[in-house]
Amino acid sequence: IHEDLAGLNGFSGLHPYTPPAWCQGLLGLLYDLERSLAEIFGMAAFSLQPAAGAHGELTGIMIFKRHFERKGERRRRILIPDTAHGTNPASGALCGYMTVTIPSDREGGVDLDRLESLMGEDCAGLMLTNPNTLGLFERRIEEIAAIVHRKGGLLYGDGANANAFLGQTRPGDQGFDVIHINLHKTFSSPHGGGGPGSGPVGVVDSLVPYLPVPRIVRTKEGFGWEDDGP
């Protein structure tokens, strides 16, 4: 059904350079989608720009980096559990961070003692997949977030496994600062076989200025583009 809808001429025949005044319906749909995702995942705002999950990760860690640059903080490391999604270390390394592995405890979750010892003020934060690649939820997620935030770090959520908690809990309520989700897994876009990916990124209020531009905005005149942002 959704493939048929996506194939309607209003979508498939729309030229990329169409003026905003001529595509108010599509811009409104995308704006509403961003707002809906923000509500569902407990974030302040979303960007639909990333074209895949790994692209969303990269975007999220680029937001980390710009956030700390603007604060004048030189953070060199980023922590990644050994149960994280496989592309997390690549995303951290591509943004210039040294990736440090956090081992699991006996229950398959993050070892909080090791996290506490490794989470220093030179560390940008933690990239966490929840539930992790073992299929286990981090039962002490609020403690994990508190450890990261006490050192001024940020908590990144890999939403590759969002099907497991959708509608039950929200990452923003658990202490995540940035999260990407895979619409091609959790919602209706096709996954694999050469089909399009989609990895929107959501952020808390303090990181909204660092979302990629242009962003869709709503004014009295309708929907348009805003290019302002650091």
Side-chain angles (χ1 to χ4, degrees):
I1 293 172
H2 292 176
E3 286 294 286
D4 288 342
L5 293 175
L8 290 173
N9 186 59
F11 296 116
S12 63
L14 192 67
H15 194 282
Y17 288 153
T18 303
W22 295 359
C23 57
Q24 286 293 294
L26 178 63
L27 291 177
L29 185 150
L30 295 175
Y31 179 86
D32 287 345
L33 176 58
E34 287 184 1
R35 297 310 310 151
S36 295
L37 293 175
E39 175 63 28
I40 291 167
F41 291 93
M43 310 305 283
F46 260 84
S47 169
L48 304 177
Q49 288 197 36
H55 193 197
E57 277 177 37
L58 181 64
T59 304
I61 303 307
M62 289 171 73
I63 290 171
F64 269 44
K65 190 164 187 176
R66 185 54 56 91
H67 163 76
F68 289 116
E69 286 175 351
R70 291 293 289 250
K71 292 183 69 177
E73 298 180 14
R74 189 174 175 84
R75 300 200 175 218
R76 304 173 184 273
R77 300 181 299 131
I78 195 161
L79 308 180
I80 303 174
D82 58 8
T83 56
H85 211 230
T87 50
N88 287 186
S91 297
L94 282 169
C95 288
Y97 290 114
M98 181 177 72
T99 60
V100 179
T101 302
I102 302 290
S104 299
D105 60 19
R106 288 185 175 185
E107 296 181 349
V110 171
D111 186 318
L112 265 63
D113 291 335
R114 291 296 298 277
L115 175 61
E116 186 88 63
S117 66
L118 290 169
M119 185 61 220
E121 293 183 357
D122 66 331
C123 188
L126 175 68
M127 296 182 74
L128 187 71
T129 306
N130 194 33
N132 62 32
T133 53
L134 300 177
L136 301 174
F137 286 93
E138 296 289 348
R139 296 179 180 274
R140 302 169 72 182
I141 186 62
E142 291 176 332
E143 293 177 65
I144 290 171
I147 291 170
V148 172
H149 291 153
R150 274 200 296 270
K151 297 294 185 178
L154 298 173
L155 182 59
Y156 181 86
D158 185 312
N161 300 332
N163 301 52
F165 63 78
L166 187 69
Q168 303 298 319
T169 184
R170 306 193 310 172
D173 299 337
Q174 298 170 10
F176 286 92
D177 300 291
V178 182
I179 185 169
H180 89 266
I181 54 170
N182 295 24
L183 295 190
H184 53 286
K185 292 180 179 179
T186 306
F187 292 94
S188 69
S189 299
H191 186 207
S198 184
V201 170
V203 297
V204 294
D205 190 65
S206 61
L207 299 176
V208 171
Y210 304 108
L211 285 172
V213 293
R215 297 188 62 217
I216 302 170
V217 293
R218 186 174 194 169
T219 66
K220 292 180 180 179
E221 291 74 35
F223 298 99
W225 298 107
E226 181 178 74
D227 290 315
D228 294 335

